[in-house]
Amino acid sequence: GAGVSQSPSNKVTEKGKDVELRCDPISGHTALYWYRQSLGQGLEFLIYFQGNSAPDKSGLPSDRFSAERTGGSVSTLTIQRTQQEDSAVYLCASSLSAGGPPQYFGPGTRLLVL
Amino acid sequence: ILNVEQSPQSLHVQEGDSTNFTCSFPSSNFYALHWYRWETAKSPEALFVMTLNGDEKKKGRISATLNTKEGYSYLYIKGSQPEDSATYLCASLAGKLIFGQGTTLQVKP
């Protein structure tokens, strides 16, 4: 595709529900990243994939968060038993490879947990 | 822990003013320094990726310098325009990309 796409663009859910966020990276980009921006905060790294492997999961805030990537392309970020503090904009980015090349960001998913 | 600090946190200038902001990062295990521009309601957009000490990059009225020995990078905007209003993020790569909190620039016409 032309750019990184994310869905849904907005998600409102009730506390305790599970949510799935999807990211479609730029075709041919082997690295994929998940970040989140909570209100008034900077970009917080969550996890990145090189191919289908996640070398660094250190940013995942709790075991309620998980992510997977299949076929070296689409990735899903799953949040189980959502809490109000999970409300944030979740951004996905991709790059040609992990490390040096610039990252191209998607439009984000705005998650609101009531 | 890798801390990337940006200053100032916010900046208000008049159209035509030139401005600059700072990104500081630990100089150990440095690999690359990224600058991104993040406009409201849009996605962050890559401006520069810099790797070499003394590197200087330019895109139109925006330029950046890098000092890896002392761990800082400057971003300069010459003759600011209202469309330059955005949050400017720097990020240091040392294993993974760690972002600073950003400098939010508001250019008044």
Side-chain angles (χ1 to χ4, degrees):
Chain A
V4 178
S5 61
Q6 292 185 245
S7 61
S9 54
N10 292 281
K11 177 72 177 179
V12 180
T13 190
E14 293 179 349
K15 178 181 171 181
K17 300 279 189 183
D18 297 352
V19 295
E20 269 193 6
L21 312 181
R22 176 187 168 108
C23 172
D24 279 272
I26 292 172
S27 178
H29 280 194
T30 63
L32 185 148
Y33 309 80
W34 284 99
Y35 299 91
R36 75 174 176 181
Q37 186 193 31
S38 303
L39 190 63
Q41 303 297 311
L43 272 180
E44 176 188 3
F45 168 82
L46 298 178
I47 187 171
Y48 89 91
F49 291 88
Q50 177 61 49
N52 293 332
S53 301
D56 190 345
K57 303 179 183 179
S58 62
L60 294 177
S62 76
D63 58 9
R64 295 185 295 104
F65 287 71
S66 63
E68 65 174 13
R69 189 180 185 195
T70 55
S73 181
V74 172
S75 175
T76 54
L77 177 70
T78 301
I79 309 173
Q80 294 179 309
R81 305 180 302 282
T82 52
Q83 303 294 311
Q84 289 182 332
E85 62 263 28
D86 299 334
S87 297
V89 176
Y90 289 82
L91 285 165
C92 172
S94 70
S95 63
L96 280 172
S97 63
Q103 297 182 13
Y104 295 84
F105 285 80
T109 293
R110 283 162 178 74
L111 174 66
L112 178 61
V113 182
L114 300 176
Chain B
I1 297 176
L2 178 63
N3 288 321
V4 178
E5 305 283 344
Q6 291 188 247
S7 63
Q9 185 175 0
S10 65
L11 197 54
H12 291 76
V13 301
Q14 289 294 131
E15 182 175 356
D17 288 349
S18 292
T19 186
N20 66 86
F21 5 103
T22 305
C23 172
S24 62
F25 53 89
S27 53
S28 59
N29 298 319
F30 173 82
Y31 185 81
L33 193 284
H34 293 214
W35 279 101
Y36 291 84
R37 180 171 180 270
W38 195 359
E39 288 183 76
T40 302
K42 294 186 178 180
S43 307
E45 176 187 352
L47 287 173
F48 306 114
V49 177
M50 309 170 77
T51 57
L52 299 176
N53 184 46
D55 213 0
E56 184 170 343
K57 299 227 173 178
K58 188 175 181 181
K59 182 185 287 189
R61 294 178 291 98
I62 305 177
S63 60
T65 61
L66 180 66
N67 183 321
T68 60
K69 293 182 179 179
E70 296 182 39
Y72 65 83
S73 175
Y74 294 136
L75 188 79
Y76 300 91
I77 302 178
K78 183 178 179 181
S80 303
Q81 299 296 308
E83 58 264 32
D84 296 329
S85 299
T87 295
Y88 292 83
L89 297 168
C90 72
S92 181
L93 178 66
K96 62 188 176 189
L97 204 59
I98 303 296
F99 283 83
Q101 298 279 48
T103 292
T104 299
L105 173 68
Q106 184 69 41
V107 182
K108 298 176 184 176

